[in-house]
Amino acid sequence: TSERAGEPRPNHKRNHKATFGLQDTMAAAKPVVVIVNADSNLGWSVVEHIRESFDDKVKMRLMFRSREDHDISDLEGGPRDIETIYGEINKPQLLGPVFEGANAAYFAVPGLKDRVAQCKMFVDACMNHGVQHAVLDSVCAADKEVTLFQKQFNEIEAYALKRQGRAVTLKMADRGQKKFAPVICRVPYLYQNFYASIPGIRKGMLYYPLEEGALVHVDMEDVGKSIAAILSDPAPHNGKTYNLIGDSQMGNMIAATINMKAQVPCTYESVPDEVAAIAFQKLGLEQWIAEGDVETLKFIREGGLAEVGPGDVEALTGKKPRRFGDFVKENIKPMVE
C-alpha cells in the first residue's frame, strides 16, 4: 500500500523560496510537470528520479502542503530550475498557479480518510486547468474490490478513466484538441514497511501476519523511478494501467533474507491478523490504515495477486526491479548493526 509513501518526508526543516531567473527562462521550452504533495515520501522519490534521469526533458513544479516549509536544498543539484509552490488540493481557489501551463501532473496520494475525494479533486483540477496527462497511485487488483483499499482506489481509477478522452480546459486558443489522459500505477506492498519491524529484528524476531503465504512487494524507489519515467514522456502511456512489482517471498524466506543480508539472527513467526492490527496501531498508524494494511496482507498471502505476474517496472525504467535482499543489505542492515 502507499500509506507510508504518502506521509510527509521527515527532512524538511528550512524555508526555501522558489527560484526564478535565467535558468527558468532557458528552460521555458521544456514541458512542465507538477508533483502534487512533493513533500511526501513517494512524491520526493519521484522528484529525485526526475532530477537524476530526466532533468533535461522536463521542468518540475513542486506543490507543497505547507506555506513555509519548501526546503529542497538536500536535492542533488539543489533548487536549480525547479519551482516550488504552496497548494492544497481541496482548495480549488489556490490551484490555478499550481497547474498553469503544465503538461503532466502526478498526485502522491496521502494516507488520509478523504483521499478518494482528494484524488477526484486532483482529476478535476487537471481537467479545469488544461493538464492533459495525470498520473495516479493505486493498489494492485483494485478492480477486485475485496479490501477497503481496493474499493477506495477502484473508485478513484473509475473516476479518472471515465474522463479519459474529454477535452481539458485551456485559457487561450482552446479548440478542445487536448484530451485528458490518465495513467494508473498500481502498487502491492512496500519494502519500506519493514522499517516498522526493526525493533523486533534487533531482537532476532520478525512478527508478520503472513501464515504460510507469500508477500508480493516492491521498493518505493522503483515506484518513484517508474512514475518519473512516465512523467518524462507521458503520451505513450495514455490510458494505461501498470503494476509495479518487485519481489515475492514467504515469511520464513523474508527472515532468512534479513539473516543473510543484514547479518543478524532473524526468525519468522506468523501472528494473527487482529494482533498485527493492534501492533501496527501501536507503531503509530491510524486504526483504519492498520486494519487496511492487515487486510491487504491477507489478500496477498492468500494468492490474490497471483495473476499480476512480474509487473511493469523493467518495461518502464529499463532496469529490473530491486530485489528485497538488496534493500535489506543497503537499507535495513545499517539500522540494525
Side-chain angles (χ1 to χ4, degrees), residues 5 75 82 101 115 117 127 164 187 210 224 246 252 261 273 295 305 310 323:
L75 180 65
I82 292 179
R115 63 181 176 187
M127 297 284 295
Q164 182 179 346
V187 177
L210 294 177
N252 60 344
K261 296 293 185 178
D273 289 347
E295 189 180 37
L305 300 184
R323 300 300 298 269

PDB file of all heavy atoms in Angstrom, residues 5 75 82 101 115 117 127 164 187 210 224 246 252 261 273 295 305 310 323:
ATOM      1  N   ALA A   5       4.097   5.810   1.964  1.00  0.00           N
ATOM      2  CA  ALA A   5       4.541   6.605   0.827  1.00  0.00           C
ATOM      3  C   ALA A   5       3.919   7.984   0.822  1.00  0.00           C
ATOM      4  O   ALA A   5       4.506   8.955   0.358  1.00  0.00           O
ATOM      5  CB  ALA A   5       4.208   5.874  -0.482  1.00  0.00           C
ATOM      6  N   LEU A  75      18.201  18.155  -2.243  1.00  0.00           N
ATOM      7  CA  LEU A  75      18.092  17.511  -3.557  1.00  0.00           C
ATOM      8  C   LEU A  75      19.415  17.650  -4.302  1.00  0.00           C
ATOM      9  O   LEU A  75      20.019  18.726  -4.313  1.00  0.00           O
ATOM     10  CB  LEU A  75      16.973  18.167  -4.369  1.00  0.00           C
ATOM     11  CG  LEU A  75      16.720  17.621  -5.769  1.00  0.00           C
ATOM     12  CD1 LEU A  75      16.225  16.180  -5.707  1.00  0.00           C
ATOM     13  CD2 LEU A  75      15.705  18.485  -6.503  1.00  0.00           C
ATOM     14  N   ILE A  82      13.888  24.568 -10.639  1.00  0.00           N
ATOM     15  CA  ILE A  82      12.703  23.980 -10.011  1.00  0.00           C
ATOM     16  C   ILE A  82      11.890  25.090  -9.357  1.00  0.00           C
ATOM     17  O   ILE A  82      12.439  25.962  -8.688  1.00  0.00           O
ATOM     18  CB  ILE A  82      13.088  22.932  -8.952  1.00  0.00           C
ATOM     19  CG1 ILE A  82      13.718  21.705  -9.618  1.00  0.00           C
ATOM     20  CG2 ILE A  82      11.865  22.494  -8.140  1.00  0.00           C
ATOM     21  CD1 ILE A  82      14.144  20.629  -8.646  1.00  0.00           C
ATOM     22  N   GLY A 101      -0.145  26.003 -17.224  1.00  0.00           N
ATOM     23  CA  GLY A 101       0.866  25.713 -18.241  1.00  0.00           C
ATOM     24  C   GLY A 101       1.492  24.340 -18.161  1.00  0.00           C
ATOM     25  O   GLY A 101       2.403  24.026 -18.924  1.00  0.00           O
ATOM     26  N   ARG A 115      -9.050  10.569   1.047  1.00  0.00           N
ATOM     27  CA  ARG A 115      -8.174  10.526  -0.129  1.00  0.00           C
ATOM     28  C   ARG A 115      -8.944  10.245  -1.414  1.00  0.00           C
ATOM     29  O   ARG A 115      -8.501  10.664  -2.488  1.00  0.00           O
ATOM     30  CB  ARG A 115      -7.059   9.513   0.065  1.00  0.00           C
ATOM     31  CG  ARG A 115      -7.486   8.069   0.222  1.00  0.00           C
ATOM     32  CD  ARG A 115      -6.249   7.230   0.436  1.00  0.00           C
ATOM     33  NE  ARG A 115      -6.549   5.831   0.701  1.00  0.00           N
ATOM     34  CZ  ARG A 115      -5.639   4.943   1.043  1.00  0.00           C
ATOM     35  NH1 ARG A 115      -4.380   5.323   1.175  1.00  0.00           N
ATOM     36  NH2 ARG A 115      -5.950   3.684   1.261  1.00  0.00           N
ATOM     37  N   ALA A 117     -11.867  11.516  -2.192  1.00  0.00           N
ATOM     38  CA  ALA A 117     -12.324  12.850  -2.588  1.00  0.00           C
ATOM     39  C   ALA A 117     -11.160  13.698  -3.092  1.00  0.00           C
ATOM     40  O   ALA A 117     -11.297  14.430  -4.084  1.00  0.00           O
ATOM     41  CB  ALA A 117     -13.011  13.540  -1.406  1.00  0.00           C
ATOM     42  N   MET A 127      -8.361  18.683 -15.277  1.00  0.00           N
ATOM     43  CA  MET A 127      -9.332  18.969 -16.336  1.00  0.00           C
ATOM     44  C   MET A 127      -9.575  20.474 -16.464  1.00  0.00           C
ATOM     45  O   MET A 127      -9.636  21.016 -17.572  1.00  0.00           O
ATOM     46  CB  MET A 127     -10.654  18.264 -16.033  1.00  0.00           C
ATOM     47  CG  MET A 127     -10.610  16.749 -15.990  1.00  0.00           C
ATOM     48  SD  MET A 127     -10.538  16.000 -17.632  1.00  0.00           S
ATOM     49  CE  MET A 127     -12.108  16.486 -18.312  1.00  0.00           C
ATOM     50  N   GLN A 164     -11.386  10.020 -19.393  1.00  0.00           N
ATOM     51  CA  GLN A 164     -10.396   9.859 -20.450  1.00  0.00           C
ATOM     52  C   GLN A 164     -10.992  10.243 -21.807  1.00  0.00           C
ATOM     53  O   GLN A 164     -12.109   9.846 -22.145  1.00  0.00           O
ATOM     54  CB  GLN A 164      -9.913   8.412 -20.509  1.00  0.00           C
ATOM     55  CG  GLN A 164      -8.847   8.153 -21.559  1.00  0.00           C
ATOM     56  CD  GLN A 164      -8.384   6.699 -21.545  1.00  0.00           C
ATOM     57  OE1 GLN A 164      -8.675   5.968 -20.603  1.00  0.00           O
ATOM     58  NE2 GLN A 164      -7.682   6.293 -22.572  1.00  0.00           N
ATOM     59  N   VAL A 187       0.337  -0.446  -6.975  1.00  0.00           N
ATOM     60  CA  VAL A 187       1.429  -0.878  -6.106  1.00  0.00           C
ATOM     61  C   VAL A 187       0.898  -1.936  -5.141  1.00  0.00           C
ATOM     62  O   VAL A 187      -0.225  -1.804  -4.630  1.00  0.00           O
ATOM     63  CB  VAL A 187       1.994   0.329  -5.321  1.00  0.00           C
ATOM     64  CG1 VAL A 187       3.089  -0.096  -4.361  1.00  0.00           C
ATOM     65  CG2 VAL A 187       2.507   1.389  -6.303  1.00  0.00           C
ATOM     66  N   LEU A 210       1.591 -13.389   7.849  1.00  0.00           N
ATOM     67  CA  LEU A 210       1.673 -13.976   6.509  1.00  0.00           C
ATOM     68  C   LEU A 210       1.321 -15.464   6.492  1.00  0.00           C
ATOM     69  O   LEU A 210       1.203 -16.046   5.408  1.00  0.00           O
ATOM     70  CB  LEU A 210       3.085 -13.780   5.936  1.00  0.00           C
ATOM     71  CG  LEU A 210       3.501 -12.338   5.647  1.00  0.00           C
ATOM     72  CD1 LEU A 210       4.935 -12.298   5.152  1.00  0.00           C
ATOM     73  CD2 LEU A 210       2.572 -11.693   4.627  1.00  0.00           C
ATOM     74  N   GLY A 224       8.908   5.273  -7.536  1.00  0.00           N
ATOM     75  CA  GLY A 224       9.271   6.639  -7.898  1.00  0.00           C
ATOM     76  C   GLY A 224       9.957   6.722  -9.250  1.00  0.00           C
ATOM     77  O   GLY A 224       9.694   7.613 -10.055  1.00  0.00           O
ATOM     78  N   GLY A 246       7.989  -5.867  -7.326  1.00  0.00           N
ATOM     79  CA  GLY A 246       9.405  -6.054  -7.068  1.00  0.00           C
ATOM     80  C   GLY A 246       9.788  -7.497  -6.835  1.00  0.00           C
ATOM     81  O   GLY A 246      10.411  -8.141  -7.663  1.00  0.00           O
ATOM     82  N   ASN A 252       9.147 -16.999   6.128  1.00  0.00           N
ATOM     83  CA  ASN A 252      10.420 -17.586   6.568  1.00  0.00           C
ATOM     84  C   ASN A 252      11.571 -17.178   5.653  1.00  0.00           C
ATOM     85  O   ASN A 252      12.714 -17.036   6.092  1.00  0.00           O
ATOM     86  CB  ASN A 252      10.307 -19.105   6.669  1.00  0.00           C
ATOM     87  CG  ASN A 252       9.949 -19.767   5.350  1.00  0.00           C
ATOM     88  OD1 ASN A 252       9.497 -19.105   4.428  1.00  0.00           O
ATOM     89  ND2 ASN A 252      10.141 -21.074   5.263  1.00  0.00           N
ATOM     90  N   LYS A 261      21.447 -11.059   4.629  1.00  0.00           N
ATOM     91  CA  LYS A 261      21.864  -9.772   4.072  1.00  0.00           C
ATOM     92  C   LYS A 261      22.158  -8.713   5.137  1.00  0.00           C
ATOM     93  O   LYS A 261      23.014  -7.847   4.931  1.00  0.00           O
ATOM     94  CB  LYS A 261      20.794  -9.256   3.109  1.00  0.00           C
ATOM     95  CG  LYS A 261      20.581 -10.147   1.880  1.00  0.00           C
ATOM     96  CD  LYS A 261      21.795 -10.147   0.981  1.00  0.00           C
ATOM     97  CE  LYS A 261      21.527 -10.925  -0.302  1.00  0.00           C
ATOM     98  NZ  LYS A 261      22.686 -10.902  -1.221  1.00  0.00           N
ATOM     99  N   ASP A 273      -4.134 -11.911  12.516  1.00  0.00           N
ATOM    100  CA  ASP A 273      -4.440 -10.606  11.919  1.00  0.00           C
ATOM    101  C   ASP A 273      -4.787  -9.564  12.975  1.00  0.00           C
ATOM    102  O   ASP A 273      -4.328  -8.412  12.899  1.00  0.00           O
ATOM    103  CB  ASP A 273      -5.594 -10.740  10.929  1.00  0.00           C
ATOM    104  CG  ASP A 273      -5.204 -11.489   9.669  1.00  0.00           C
ATOM    105  OD1 ASP A 273      -3.990 -11.685   9.461  1.00  0.00           O
ATOM    106  OD2 ASP A 273      -6.098 -11.870   8.891  1.00  0.00           O
ATOM    107  N   GLU A 295      -5.577  -6.303   6.187  1.00  0.00           N
ATOM    108  CA  GLU A 295      -6.495  -6.851   5.182  1.00  0.00           C
ATOM    109  C   GLU A 295      -5.783  -7.046   3.843  1.00  0.00           C
ATOM    110  O   GLU A 295      -5.979  -8.055   3.152  1.00  0.00           O
ATOM    111  CB  GLU A 295      -7.683  -5.897   5.023  1.00  0.00           C
ATOM    112  CG  GLU A 295      -8.815  -6.432   4.172  1.00  0.00           C
ATOM    113  CD  GLU A 295      -9.947  -5.446   4.049  1.00  0.00           C
ATOM    114  OE1 GLU A 295      -9.675  -4.223   3.963  1.00  0.00           O
ATOM    115  OE2 GLU A 295     -11.109  -5.885   4.020  1.00  0.00           O
ATOM    116  N   LEU A 305      -2.759 -11.824  -5.682  1.00  0.00           N
ATOM    117  CA  LEU A 305      -2.003 -11.168  -6.762  1.00  0.00           C
ATOM    118  C   LEU A 305      -1.338 -12.170  -7.696  1.00  0.00           C
ATOM    119  O   LEU A 305      -0.446 -11.806  -8.468  1.00  0.00           O
ATOM    120  CB  LEU A 305      -0.949 -10.222  -6.171  1.00  0.00           C
ATOM    121  CG  LEU A 305      -1.486  -9.087  -5.297  1.00  0.00           C
ATOM    122  CD1 LEU A 305      -0.352  -8.176  -4.859  1.00  0.00           C
ATOM    123  CD2 LEU A 305      -2.565  -8.286  -6.016  1.00  0.00           C
ATOM    124  N   PRO A 310       4.959 -10.590 -13.237  1.00  0.00           N
ATOM    125  CA  PRO A 310       6.195  -9.908 -12.816  1.00  0.00           C
ATOM    126  C   PRO A 310       6.095  -8.389 -12.786  1.00  0.00           C
ATOM    127  O   PRO A 310       6.983  -7.719 -12.272  1.00  0.00           O
ATOM    128  CB  PRO A 310       7.223 -10.367 -13.847  1.00  0.00           C
ATOM    129  CG  PRO A 310       6.405 -10.669 -15.074  1.00  0.00           C
ATOM    130  CD  PRO A 310       5.114 -11.225 -14.556  1.00  0.00           C
ATOM    131  N   ARG A 323      15.765  -6.159  -5.870  1.00  0.00           N
ATOM    132  CA  ARG A 323      15.411  -7.328  -5.082  1.00  0.00           C
ATOM    133  C   ARG A 323      15.317  -6.951  -3.600  1.00  0.00           C
ATOM    134  O   ARG A 323      16.007  -6.036  -3.122  1.00  0.00           O
ATOM    135  CB  ARG A 323      16.446  -8.433  -5.271  1.00  0.00           C
ATOM    136  CG  ARG A 323      16.615  -8.914  -6.694  1.00  0.00           C
ATOM    137  CD  ARG A 323      15.336  -9.474  -7.277  1.00  0.00           C
ATOM    138  NE  ARG A 323      14.856 -10.638  -6.547  1.00  0.00           N
ATOM    139  CZ  ARG A 323      15.182 -11.900  -6.851  1.00  0.00           C
ATOM    140  NH1 ARG A 323      15.992 -12.146  -7.881  1.00  0.00           N
ATOM    141  NH2 ARG A 323      14.701 -12.904  -6.140  1.00  0.00           N
TER     142      ARG A 323
END
